[in-house]
Amino acid sequence: MAPEDEHDEEQPPTRMVVWRGNSVPEKEAKALRHVFDNLQDHFGHQRPDPRIRFSANLTYPGHGPMWVGDLDFMYDINGDHCSLAYFGMDVCVDLTSKLIHKHGQPMMKDYGKTWLYVYLPQLTLDKVISYVKAGTGYDVSTEGTVYDPNRNLVAIKAKLHHESEQPKPSFWVVKDKDASGGDICFSRMGSVQEVNALPHQQHVHRGVGIFSVTMEVEGTPTFQPTPREGEEANLSFTLVSVRTWGITDCVAPIVHSPPDKWS
């Protein structure tokens, strides 16, 4: 029989804690509080560079030409490295009503139910893309984004979970607009879809959007793609929660499907 000290040491069980009614690993809860509750290390105009490292593990889904993987975000929280599937950005969330075809059908199908537009400064998106490049080696395609040269803003389509088995994205509003630092508190109004259905909330709301991100890279079934010159990845953003400071009139919302620029 092998000596006892030759056996691998058993790893201590993962300590679980409760965050918002859910039992999660302690380090994940630390990252969740950091990102969702304290709104730390998110991307935004004139904010310090977030202490995050991006990574992706691409797998082949069994069909088509694309390899797919969810981005992982490793946060440096006072020297403690905590992994999370979400990251935040300063954005404006567009809940405005959209144009209707003359036959009564919306020009943007399922807008506010399965997807919506979020607007952010071009510089913020460029910073996010630089983190993707540094962490994964891939450049990022900007196909599908809409650029507004008048305000130097870019619009991206964000998916919304809407199936019954998936938690819908939550919509939170600041309680005291004059509060600062640790005194800032938010109140949950419901899901994005529920708030979008309220006529008095159909405006552009500024705040912090928290997203999960999926990456797609073209390859072949037998060979996993690797970063190389000219190779671009496609990113798909899913909005999972938003913390809003209020309504803004400084952004002209998209009201119909645009070609490649706002007018």
Side-chain angles (χ1 to χ4, degrees):
M1 181 179 293
E4 199 169 298
D5 59 2
E6 289 184 14
H7 289 286
D8 292 335
E9 291 186 8
E10 290 188 9
Q11 295 295 319
T14 301
R15 185 168 182 269
M16 306 297 285
V17 298
V18 175
W19 181 77
R20 297 203 182 157
N22 298 304
S23 182
V24 297
E26 185 176 24
K27 290 192 73 168
E28 182 179 349
K30 186 174 186 177
L32 288 166
R33 287 192 293 269
H34 187 74
V35 175
F36 285 78
D37 298 341
N38 302 327
L39 300 180
Q40 296 298 302
D41 282 324
H42 64 271
F43 292 80
H45 181 57
Q46 295 183 340
R47 293 188 180 277
D49 288 349
R51 295 162 297 176
I52 317 176
R53 187 173 69 249
F54 288 29
S55 62
N57 180 26
L58 298 176
T59 60
Y60 185 65
H63 55 85
M66 309 302 286
W67 286 64
V68 182
D70 293 329
L71 288 185
D72 180 80
F73 309 98
M74 184 66 72
Y75 290 85
D76 180 354
I77 307 175
N78 299 321
D80 194 7
H81 293 89
C82 304
S83 175
L84 195 65
Y86 312 105
F87 88 111
M89 297 187 293
D90 283 339
V91 296
C92 291
V93 177
D94 183 1
L95 299 186
T96 60
S97 58
K98 304 306 175 187
L99 292 181
I100 304 295
H101 284 296
K102 61 182 179 180
H103 298 297
Q105 296 299 317
M107 296 182 70
M108 294 185 187
K109 186 179 180 182
D110 293 330
Y111 189 87
K113 297 178 182 178
T114 66
W115 70 281
L116 51 67
Y117 279 118
V118 297
Y119 311 123
L120 65 158
Q122 180 69 56
L123 289 174
T124 301
L125 183 59
D126 290 344
K127 176 67 72 173
V128 172
I129 289 173
S130 74
Y131 272 62
V132 175
K133 174 73 172 180
T136 70
Y138 284 103
D139 293 312
V140 174
S141 170
T142 56
E143 184 178 353
T145 61
V146 185
Y147 179 61
D148 178 3
N150 298 318
R151 297 173 181 81
N152 200 24
L153 291 177
V154 63
I156 59 175
K157 290 184 177 181
K159 295 179 180 178
L160 305 174
H161 288 314
H162 60 283
E163 301 291 346
S164 58
E165 68 273 11
Q166 298 172 317
K168 293 182 173 63
S170 56
F171 191 98
W172 300 67
V173 176
V174 69
K175 289 184 177 180
D176 182 1
K177 294 182 181 180
D178 296 323
S180 61
D183 296 329
I184 297 176
C185 294
F186 293 86
S187 176
R188 190 181 189 278
M189 290 189 62
S191 69
V192 170
Q193 290 92 333
E194 289 169 338
V195 174
N196 181 66
L198 301 174
H200 67 282
Q201 295 292 345
Q202 292 176 355
H203 300 277
V204 177
H205 300 257
R206 62 184 182 88
V208 178
I210 300 171
F211 302 83
S212 62
V213 186
T214 300
M215 171 184 279
E216 291 185 339
V217 181
E218 189 169 356
T220 66
T222 52
F223 292 100
Q224 182 172 350
T226 55
R228 61 180 184 270
E229 189 69 28
E231 186 82 53
E232 287 188 330
N234 298 317
L235 299 183
S236 175
F237 294 83
T238 299
L239 182 65
V240 298
S241 188
V242 60
R243 306 290 190 275
T244 70
W245 311 112
I247 292 168
T248 178
D249 296 322
C250 298
V251 176
I254 297 173
V255 294
H256 59 85
S257 298
D260 55 1
K261 287 186 178 181
W262 281 317
S263 57

